[in-house]
Amino acid sequence: MSILTKTNVNTKAYQNVLEKIKDYIQIDQLKPGDKLSSEREMAEELNLSRSTIREGLRAIELLGLIETRRGEGTFLRPYQSYQTLSLLAGFIFQDRETKDNVDDTLVMIEDVIIELGRTRGEDYIQSKWSGHGYGYWKKRGYKATFEVILSVIDNQLLEKIWYLLYAFYLSIEDKQHIRTVKDLFQSFHVQTTIET
Amino acid sequence: MSILTKTNVNTKAYQNVLEKIKDYIQIDQLKPGDKLSSEREMAEELNLSRSTIREGLRAIELLGLIETRRGEGTFLRPYQSYQTLSLLAGFIFQDRETKDNVDDTLVMIEDVIIELGRTRGEDYIQSKWSGHGYGYWKKRGYKATFEVILSVIDNQLLEKIWYLLYAFYLSIEDKQHIRTVKDLFQSFHVQTTIET
DNA sequence: CATATCTACTGGTCTGACCACTCTAGAAAC
DNA sequence: GTTTCTAGAGTGGTCAGACCAGTAGATATG
């Protein structure tokens, strides 16, 4: 299902581009940051027009897999950027019913993460937060504060899901998070009084 | 940050296409199955070339949001198909570290869903499962069995996340789910003996 | 050695063309 | 009047070729 390098006639040409590039990455053992062939080279190699190649590339780019820089070339992406995730979230979770569930779901996912944080690194989180104090973290904002928990749970996937949801949450309206920095501090029993 | 309809000069043109289409869908209240403007119309309306429009469309198409049919037009997709989700999951969660976390994360998300199912519709689930009996549901498979829980929790978002994860889980290798139908039955105290 | 300039190459965008396909209004046949 | 057939308009799929705007490296210049 995955590494079929033969061109499929029935599907659209740009989909073959996706497969080819996927193979290309695997075969050449390309790593993040590496440069792909130029669009003109790919076009010649795959016997397709440059515009068709570009349609495929745009799709992959939106997924955050590659990055294009004018004058330089096309590169494999180091990692999924926050911005891309945000856009993705907006599209994936478009419909009305889904939007109604964001609040609930975000809270639930955060519950899971917080629980994980408690078992895997309660001490670290407490010292990190109490080090700078409540006032500091409140100023840095909810996202930065929560990321401290994310940093210790060592689960990239759960992390990505949170980012996806959080980005989506913010994109709906410019509302504040249901939870506050104060809530976070309290769930880890860290002092929330501001020392002068 | 979200619904700015004004064209951003710094970003690439096809990204503006994405925004425009997103707005377009919202403003015109388009529903799944509805037809979008033709590529040529969009091009004229947005003052862009058709190729640029197409680059944007291809990206959205890969996300499974739209569907193009030659000779007919471009349509909003009815639902996010399972297949598309699988492809998406593969791209979004590409890297090695992320893959290592799938097992854990899937279990955790399922815990959340199961807990929700217990509080919101334990009776329904129990009667549904015990109605056909364990043998029936075991034959129908884990996915179908789990979907019973999903059907009562009334949270589309959590549902989508599960589908995304589950698809991704299966795509990594053709392995069986960590949990079994039996486990599900037991967490709801439904009999797992097969009557003859 | 440092600097400025030139040049080849890259992605970004546009134009205009042709194909294959679908749908439909109107002509033709009944 | 009803059915069937057909031509044409419209749609997405693909292509070739062009120009612009950046980048990087070679080359020439001080």
Side-chain angles (χ1 to χ4, degrees):
Chain A
M1 171 178 160
S2 57
I3 317 185
L4 33 112
T5 312
K6 69 166 178 245
T7 45
N8 195 329
V9 183
N10 293 326
T11 58
K12 297 166 192 168
Y14 88 89
Q15 290 179 330
N16 287 326
V17 176
L18 301 191
E19 290 298 330
K20 286 283 183 182
I21 290 180
K22 232 162 81 178
D23 290 353
Y24 186 56
I25 291 172
Q26 288 195 358
I27 293 169
D28 291 10
Q29 290 287 316
L30 293 186
K31 292 175 195 160
D34 285 354
K35 192 162 177 276
L36 300 180
S37 315
S38 77
E39 298 177 349
R40 291 169 175 87
E41 279 173 7
M42 289 189 201
E44 185 158 5
E45 190 175 333
L46 302 186
N47 225 330
L48 293 169
S49 76
R50 200 182 144 212
S51 8
T52 302
I53 296 288
R54 279 184 65 83
E55 289 190 17
L57 288 178
R58 285 302 73 69
I60 305 181
E61 185 181 18
L62 185 64
L63 289 179
L65 239 198
I66 59 170
E67 181 181 4
T68 53
R69 297 201 283 268
R70 184 193 319 206
E72 300 183 56
T74 305
F75 304 84
L76 264 191
R77 266 207 163 211
Y79 45 77
Q80 201 91 16
S81 81
Y82 186 65
Q83 184 189 2
T84 309
L85 279 179
S86 170
L87 183 64
L88 257 185
F91 275 112
I92 297 179
F93 305 133
Q94 262 232 344
D95 48 298
R96 181 69 243 158
E97 310 99 280
T98 301
K99 282 182 179 168
D100 293 339
N101 304 133
V102 187
D103 299 10
D104 287 349
T105 310
L106 183 56
V107 168
M108 284 187 286
I109 298 289
E110 290 189 349
D111 283 343
V112 171
I113 294 175
I114 288 173
E115 184 54 37
L116 260 181
R118 238 199 298 270
T119 58
R120 294 196 186 172
E122 182 161 29
D123 296 346
Y124 173 81
I125 295 173
Q126 284 172 340
S127 70
K128 186 105 181 187
W129 282 349
S130 60
H132 286 88
Y134 175 62
Y136 170 80
W137 287 104
K138 188 176 180 187
K139 190 170 291 176
R140 291 206 55 193
Y142 184 82
K143 179 161 170 279
T145 310
F146 196 83
E147 278 171 340
V148 174
I149 310 180
L150 289 177
S151 71
V152 306
I153 67 168
D154 190 35
N155 184 321
Q156 306 263 337
L157 183 51
L158 206 50
E159 202 171 312
K160 284 188 181 180
I161 293 174
W162 182 79
Y163 275 120
L164 211 64
L165 283 177
Y166 188 67
F168 183 44
Y169 181 85
L170 292 183
S171 76
I172 294 181
E173 266 166 51
D174 276 319
K175 47 186 170 184
Q176 289 298 306
H177 193 344
I178 299 176
R179 271 208 177 85
T180 63
V181 174
K182 195 169 190 174
D183 295 330
L184 289 181
F185 269 54
Q186 285 173 348
S187 49
F188 280 84
H189 310 103
V190 179
Q191 197 144 9
T192 57
T193 51
I194 303 179
E195 54 297 283
T196 49
Chain B
M1 170 180 162
S2 56
I3 318 185
L4 32 112
T5 312
K6 72 167 176 242
T7 45
N8 195 328
V9 184
N10 293 326
T11 58
K12 298 166 192 169
Y14 89 89
Q15 288 179 330
N16 287 327
V17 176
L18 302 191
E19 290 297 331
K20 287 281 183 183
I21 291 180
K22 225 162 85 177
D23 292 351
Y24 185 57
I25 292 172
Q26 288 193 355
I27 293 169
D28 291 9
Q29 290 286 318
L30 293 187
K31 291 175 194 157
D34 285 354
K35 192 162 176 280
L36 299 181
S37 314
S38 77
E39 298 177 349
R40 288 169 177 87
E41 279 173 7
M42 289 189 200
E44 185 158 5
E45 191 175 332
L46 301 185
N47 226 329
L48 294 170
S49 75
R50 201 183 142 211
S51 19
T52 302
I53 297 287
R54 281 184 63 84
E55 290 190 15
L57 288 177
R58 284 299 75 68
I60 305 180
E61 186 181 18
L62 188 63
L63 287 180
L65 233 201
I66 58 170
E67 180 182 3
T68 53
R69 297 200 284 269
R70 182 191 324 205
E72 300 183 54
T74 305
F75 304 84
L76 264 192
R77 269 209 159 207
Y79 295 103
Q80 199 90 17
S81 78
Y82 190 64
Q83 184 189 2
T84 309
L85 278 179
S86 173
L87 179 68
L88 245 190
F91 273 114
I92 296 180
F93 303 133
Q94 260 234 344
D95 47 297
R96 182 68 242 159
E97 311 98 279
T98 301
K99 283 183 180 168
D100 292 340
N101 303 133
V102 188
D103 299 11
D104 286 350
T105 310
L106 183 56
V107 168
M108 284 187 285
I109 299 290
E110 289 190 349
D111 282 343
V112 171
I113 295 175
I114 288 172
E115 184 55 36
L116 260 181
R118 238 197 299 270
T119 58
R120 294 193 187 175
E122 183 162 28
D123 296 345
Y124 173 80
I125 296 175
Q126 284 170 340
S127 69
K128 186 107 181 185
W129 282 349
S130 60
H132 286 89
Y134 174 62
Y136 170 81
W137 286 103
K138 187 175 180 187
K139 190 171 290 174
R140 291 207 55 194
Y142 184 84
K143 179 161 171 280
T145 310
F146 196 83
E147 279 171 341
V148 174
I149 310 180
L150 289 177
S151 71
V152 305
I153 67 169
D154 191 35
N155 184 319
Q156 308 262 338
L157 184 52
L158 207 50
E159 202 169 315
K160 284 188 182 181
I161 293 175
W162 182 79
Y163 276 118
L164 210 63
L165 283 178
Y166 188 66
F168 183 43
Y169 180 83
L170 293 184
S171 75
I172 293 182
E173 266 166 53
D174 276 319
K175 47 186 170 185
Q176 288 300 306
H177 194 342
I178 300 176
R179 270 209 178 84
T180 62
V181 174
K182 195 168 188 174
D183 295 330
L184 289 180
F185 269 55
Q186 284 174 348
S187 49
F188 280 83
H189 310 102
V190 179
Q191 196 144 9
T192 57
T193 51
I194 303 179
E195 55 294 287
T196 51

